[in-house]
Amino acid sequence: MANLRGGDLSRLRQLNSLSAIRALRGAGPLTLSALAERTGLSRPSTKEVVDELAQVGWVEEVPPSPGTMGRPARRYRFRANCGYLVGIDIGAHNVRAALADLDGQVLAETRQPALPGAPLDDRLAAIERAVSGCLTLSGKTVADLWTVAVGTTGIVTPDGRVAYSASVPSWTGLDLAGRLREMFPCEVLVENDSRLAALAESRRGVARGSRDVVFLHVARRMGAALIIDGRLHRGFGTAAGEIGMLPEMRWLQATDHLNGCAIVPEETAPEDAAGYTLAAARSGDPVALDAVGRYLDDLAVGAAAMALLLDPEVVVLGGGFSRAADVLLEPLRERLERSCMRMPEVLASTLGEECVVLGAIDYAVDHLDRQHFTADAGPVPPQAAVTSR
Amino acid sequence: MANLRGGDLSRLRQLNSLSAIRALRGAGPLTLSALAERTGLSRPSTKEVVDELAQVGWVEEVPPSPGTMGRPARRYRFRANCGYLVGIDIGAHNVRAALADLDGQVLAETRQPALPGAPLDDRLAAIERAVSGCLTLSGKTVADLWTVAVGTTGIVTPDGRVAYSASVPSWTGLDLAGRLREMFPCEVLVENDSRLAALAESRRGVARGSRDVVFLHVARRMGAALIIDGRLHRGFGTAAGEIGMLPEMRWLQATDHLNGCAIVPEETAPEDAAGYTLAAARSGDPVALDAVGRYLDDLAVGAAAMALLLDPEVVVLGGGFSRAADVLLEPLRERLERSCMRMPEVLASTLGEECVVLGAIDYAVDHLDRQHFTADAGPVPPQAAVTSR
């Protein structure tokens, strides 16, 4: 037996607790043997970790089924319902929210339209209503919430301010985390919306299991986000992903090809024009298809720059326009094939409009893990997440 | 005391051994207390790790100084001289080599000119001579070598072939690792030269300690390499860094501004033209300065794309042209300031022409750590590196 003391032991314990929580989360009840196999820990270590997690409240023993004969093996599960998380997506045109348990399973969702030029307080009020709606739908109260994680359009500073937003002008300079903390008596996290969408795709979407992912957020405004070596890449000053700001990338005006297509009827609202063109292209309209081609010529410049620089395993096409993936995906692939040294997989998001709220929930789950299972002390009781704020 | 068995213990032991080796390497002799402080391990754990490392041959006790009074604390050092590493830089115009101990300290260096169009076998022979020269200079033999790590121009596959080289045409398609293994009876590693230069800058150069680094290899041909979250980013198919292949990045013809400058005398050899213009710009020649400005306009497009996408802490200007950093750095900084959301530090390499060989040595040291201290078994004796190949 090695001489293990203090710091060494707690370091190992934390690693083991995190392995156990990750194996139990979303897996249903597991026996000690099954858990030992999934974590790679010895059975005695597994027992010890589970006992400690049960003692502080993260894990509980599941009663054996009534009809079981003989002495059944004890089974344990993660207490996913000892707290709740809310994910919010603040876009220029919609505010979405979803409430999930600590497994990340969604229990309720809401959506409200918003206008890009709406006053700041109207948008903040819409956020409050979106969360209230989720609480009502799921029969929870604000006291059940541990974390509210928000994805917003714009560049977010490390302390949760919006440094710049082109699509929601009133948002620029806002202390969004501060305003949300006044609203919700729990942990508040703020991150860029494209980044959260990328996280969701790499955790539960088409890029699940890929270590290096480029996420193209194709919508009225274009964004990009990176998963590198399995982790969300934020950059030194949390300003990563803004390649579209460079005029030579040809993203700033790319959507004009769709908006300005000759077939769009004059009475169409400006925010619906691109969608009209994409729909016409899906029906085979040659003028619309031509406009989509020119749009993709521009989109492909920035996409090729990212693919050549990072050599990702997968490029995911997500955001509002990805509903038209059937007319976008193959032509984008062709354009990338002309530029790339090694061609990545090019896949359309399957999470669709939900990707940012789901990413916000995944981000909140990651944050809980960091907070409770990687500190220097032993595992913190779940209640500490609420009481320590 | 926790119930720790088999797999758990060896996992912890490996982490502790690696911490100890990293703390001892290049630090000179340390007492157990000093080592415990640097690794964050308990003193008993430190003693155990050191005893195990000494037993297998990685660490040795240093005899106390003759004049020491009383009972001096025992001191230990890393046995940096129990094996040797060679780093090689295969460029279009030069082959360089350096021999180092396991600390990465260079003991001997050689350089030989080469010609881009030289036959394949001439270039391979130059590599063999470069290594022989290092062995002679340092009084070692090829049997003392554990690892030969090579940085080459071109795109390198995971198994050490050159998939494509624009600057050394005969190199394309070469099984470089295979040819070098025929030459040297030791471990052979092959990597892209710009990546190794980036690694050296982040380990011992101007970007030391930075987690996110963009390295611009400015030379007759331009390259880029990334350190992300402290690690060399290779990409899913090891093709990362090739952003310069995209015409819109304006790197392919950027050097033409320097080569074609009107002040370059007609008799100048093509490979010396850019250097002539850079030298004239440093002397204040207005025509040369104008050409340098147009060169930087092009260089800055790709550099800005990388800075906007990754938000690095530092951009390092390295490679042959970085000797003219005094006329390049400030104008490049100005151009990036116009494009970047958050301005990174822009610094010139201080490792200069040596950066690729030093990076190759650092890469060989990393490889040794991975090979000996992160496997499932306990620390492997140093001899195993030679006998196990």
Side-chain angles (χ1 to χ4, degrees), chain B residues 32-360:
Chain B
L32 283 181
S33 311
L35 184 57
E37 199 185 321
R38 292 184 185 211
T39 54
L41 298 174
S42 65
R43 208 173 171 289
S45 285
T46 305
K47 176 79 169 66
E48 189 183 0
V49 165
V50 165
D51 285 347
E52 189 174 39
L53 289 169
Q55 202 183 340
V56 293
W58 285 104
V59 163
E60 65 188 354
E61 194 179 338
V62 181
S65 328
T68 314
M69 298 292 286
R71 189 170 158 243
R74 297 165 83 174
R75 295 179 309 155
Y76 299 87
R77 75 173 156 219
F78 176 60
R79 289 185 60 219
N81 59 354
C82 68
Y84 295 90
L85 312 168
V86 165
I88 306 179
D89 170 14
I90 308 173
H93 299 269
N94 283 293
V95 173
R96 292 169 186 277
L99 184 145
D101 62 20
L102 301 186
D103 269 346
Q105 294 299 313
V106 172
L107 308 184
E109 290 182 64
T110 58
R111 182 185 74 86
Q112 287 175 89
L115 289 172
L120 182 61
D121 286 336
D122 288 8
R123 193 174 299 271
L124 290 168
I127 294 171
E128 196 155 19
R129 284 196 306 274
V131 176
S132 295
C134 285
L135 290 170
T136 306
L137 285 168
S138 56
K140 307 294 169 204
T141 73
V142 76
D144 296 317
L145 295 185
W146 284 13
T147 311
V148 170
V150 178
T152 179
T153 176
I155 296 174
V156 177
T157 65
D159 62 345
R161 287 168 184 272
V162 180
Y164 174 78
S165 168
S167 55
V168 182
S170 65
W171 232 222
T172 298
L174 176 68
D175 177 11
L176 182 56
R179 296 298 291 269
L180 294 173
R181 280 187 194 114
E182 290 168 13
M183 230 178 255
F184 305 110
C186 64
E187 185 96 29
V188 169
L189 308 172
V190 178
E191 186 46 284
N192 168 270
D193 53 3
S194 298
R195 279 190 206 149
L196 295 183
L199 186 65
E201 295 295 346
S202 76
R203 292 291 162 81
R204 42 173 121 196
V206 287
R208 189 170 174 176
S210 296
R211 308 286 300 167
D212 293 306
V213 181
V214 165
F215 180 80
L216 294 177
H217 195 120
V218 289
R220 292 182 192 89
R221 283 188 59 84
M222 288 202 288
L226 310 174
I227 303 290
I228 297 182
D229 206 13
R231 280 184 285 205
L232 196 56
H233 180 73
R234 311 176 82 209
F236 182 69
T238 68
E242 296 299 329
I243 192 169
M245 303 289 287
L246 193 71
E248 286 85 351
M249 293 295 97
R250 293 173 32 195
W251 281 14
L252 294 168
Q253 270 84 44
T255 317
D256 293 354
H257 296 296
L258 303 178
N259 291 327
C261 180
I263 59 145
V264 177
E266 219 169 274
E267 67 276 14
T268 310
E271 66 268 24
D272 297 331
Y276 188 98
T277 304
L278 287 168
R282 296 177 74 186
S283 317
D285 183 297
V287 178
L289 280 167
D290 187 59
V292 167
R294 282 177 284 123
Y295 166 70
L296 287 171
D297 288 342
D298 287 354
L299 179 61
V301 175
M306 291 192 281
L308 281 162
L309 180 62
L310 298 169
D311 184 23
E313 183 173 2
V314 185
V315 172
V316 178
L317 199 71
F321 291 0
S322 67
R323 274 171 296 178
D326 49 345
V327 290
L328 296 175
L329 212 55
E330 196 46 44
L332 175 62
R333 210 174 266 143
E334 282 164 20
R335 283 160 176 82
L336 287 179
E337 258 165 11
R338 277 176 233 148
S339 309
C340 287
M341 296 298 304
R342 196 199 63 79
M343 185 64 191
E345 276 195 273
V346 182
L347 302 172
S349 162
T350 47
L351 302 176
E353 307 276 12
E354 321 280 272
C355 59
V356 177
V357 283
L358 292 175

Side-chain angles (χ1 to χ4, degrees), chain A residues 1-9 11-13 15-16 19 39-42 44-46 48 155 164 211-212 224 226 228-229 231 233-246 248-250 300-302 304-313 339 341-342, chain B residues 1-9 11-13 15-16 19 39-42 44-46 48 155 164 212 224-226 228-229 231 233-246 248-250 300-302 304-313 339 341-342:
Chain A
M1 176 61 68
N3 282 305
L4 290 167
R5 295 283 182 284
D8 306 351
L9 252 188
R11 182 180 171 200
L12 185 66
R13 260 189 189 143
L15 285 173
N16 291 350
S19 302
T39 54
L41 298 174
S42 64
S45 285
T46 305
E48 188 183 2
I155 297 173
Y164 174 77
R211 308 285 300 164
D212 292 306
L226 310 174
I228 297 182
D229 207 14
R231 280 183 285 204
H233 180 72
R234 310 176 82 210
F236 182 69
T238 70
E242 296 299 329
I243 193 169
M245 304 288 288
L246 193 70
E248 286 85 353
M249 293 296 97
R250 290 170 39 192
V301 176
M306 290 191 281
L308 280 162
L309 181 62
L310 297 168
D311 185 23
E313 183 174 3
S339 309
M341 294 300 304
R342 196 199 61 81
Chain B
M1 177 62 71
N3 281 304
L4 291 167
R5 295 282 182 283
D8 306 352
L9 252 189
R11 182 179 171 200
L12 185 65
R13 260 189 189 144
L15 285 173
N16 290 351
S19 302
T39 54
L41 298 174
S42 65
S45 285
T46 305
E48 189 183 0
I155 296 174
Y164 174 78
D212 293 306
L226 310 174
I228 297 182
D229 206 13
R231 280 184 285 205
H233 180 73
R234 311 176 82 209
F236 182 69
T238 68
E242 296 299 329
I243 192 169
M245 303 289 287
L246 193 71
E248 286 85 351
M249 293 295 97
R250 293 173 32 195
V301 175
M306 291 192 281
L308 281 162
L309 180 62
L310 298 169
D311 184 23
E313 183 173 2
S339 309
M341 296 298 304
R342 196 199 63 79

